Amino acid sequence: MKILVGLISLIAVLLVALAGPLYKFGMIELATAFAGFKFGVFAGIAALVLLVIQLLFKRNTASVGSALISAVLAITAIAIPVSMMSTAKKVPPIHDISTDLANPPTFVAIAPLRADAPNPAAYAGAETAEQQRKAYPDLKTLHYNQSQPELIEATKQAVENLGWELVNIDVDSGIVEATDTTAWFGFKDDVVVRVTDNDSARLVDIRSKSRVGGSDLGKNAARIGTFINELDSVLAE
């Protein structure tokens, strides 16, 4: 019984933990990876049920160590997908976030890189903008006193500090484009930063968009927030 519980617990956590890397390296499709999450949860629940049965009716076959390890593995397998589902319910099912909803920065050099992506480079539209306004009301155009070249250079430094892949810098257009690859699944999310000279101030807008997926689980909005903090930190040096 102890071996069975331990084995099912291990299988459960592996189904969840390996889903990302297997997709990242092209060994499985995204749908298969998410199926792994589902079966991981089922296996985790089964492991906990069997563990309870073991502790109630076959206590002599269990040890504190094995029971604890099995419980931790099973709970982990359940907790990760459940946490992601909980997050998905709290944020809008969108994947294109911009500080300027009336005139979002456009992808230029990155556009060809997204040619085969399920989510096109074009802005997602008015419905997405409305959902963003309700969910992330604080994301707005930023105003800086530094010159456009200074802000472009600071943006480049912030991108490098964050470990993103720098794709394009166009000083004349005030555009910086980069790609952020997530660690677990290897999702590629693209970012474009636009610096506009507005007489007494420079306006900075950031747009972040996922290449795949309907909902980004709030990742793009969080990414923009992280970038703003990093940019301010670079400018303060």
Side-chain angles (χ1 to χ4, degrees):
M1 188 73 169
K2 178 171 68 175
I3 295 176
L4 178 62
V5 172
L7 181 60
I8 295 177
S9 299
L10 179 60
I11 291 172
V13 79
L14 287 178
L15 283 169
V16 172
L18 293 180
L22 290 176
Y23 170 77
K24 181 177 181 179
F25 294 108
M27 300 175 70
I28 60 175
E29 297 295 327
L30 186 58
T32 304
F34 287 151
F37 271 22
K38 180 175 69 175
F39 289 119
V41 170
F42 291 158
I45 293 173
L48 288 180
V49 170
L50 288 174
L51 180 60
V52 170
I53 292 174
Q54 181 186 20
L55 294 177
L56 289 176
F57 301 106
K58 295 189 177 183
R59 190 174 302 175
N60 62 314
T61 67
S63 65
V64 175
S66 65
L68 183 60
I69 292 173
S70 295
V72 168
L73 292 176
I75 292 172
T76 300
I78 297 169
I80 293 175
V82 168
S83 175
M84 293 175 68
M85 287 188 289
S86 176
T87 299
K89 292 180 180 179
K90 296 177 183 177
V91 299
I94 56 178
H95 53 261
D96 194 348
I97 304 296
S98 174
T99 56
D100 186 347
L101 297 175
N103 181 30
T106 57
F107 295 110
V108 181
I110 279 178
L113 303 179
R114 299 180 64 101
D116 297 327
N119 298 333
Y123 183 64
E127 184 178 345
T128 291
E130 184 58 30
Q131 291 185 74
Q132 180 188 317
R133 285 190 186 95
K134 294 178 180 178
Y136 313 112
D138 296 335
L139 288 181
K140 298 178 180 179
T141 299
L142 306 171
H143 296 71
Y144 291 95
N145 294 322
Q146 288 86 351
S147 68
Q148 188 180 58
E150 288 175 325
L151 286 168
I152 291 294
E153 182 59 33
T155 294
K156 175 179 176 291
Q157 186 61 54
V159 166
E160 292 176 348
N161 291 351
L162 292 170
W164 301 350
E165 178 188 355
L166 188 63
V167 177
N168 176 46
I169 297 179
D170 188 334
V171 178
D172 294 333
S173 300
I175 293 293
V176 177
E177 296 175 273
T179 298
D180 180 22
T181 302
T182 63
W184 188 13
F185 271 79
F187 292 133
K188 290 185 178 296
D189 298 339
D190 297 309
V191 179
V192 54
V193 180
R194 181 182 66 202
V195 182
T196 307
D197 197 340
N198 188 36
D199 296 329
S200 61
R202 259 51 59 197
L203 308 182
V204 175
D205 283 295
I206 310 103
R207 179 183 170 202
S208 181
K209 181 169 186 173
S210 305
R211 294 190 188 182
V212 300
S215 173
D216 63 6
L217 303 183
K219 182 65 176 179
N220 286 299
R223 180 179 293 108
I224 289 176
T226 299
F227 171 80
I228 292 172
N229 290 336
E230 186 62 34
L231 178 62
D232 288 344
S233 178
V234 170
L235 291 171
E237 293 178 354

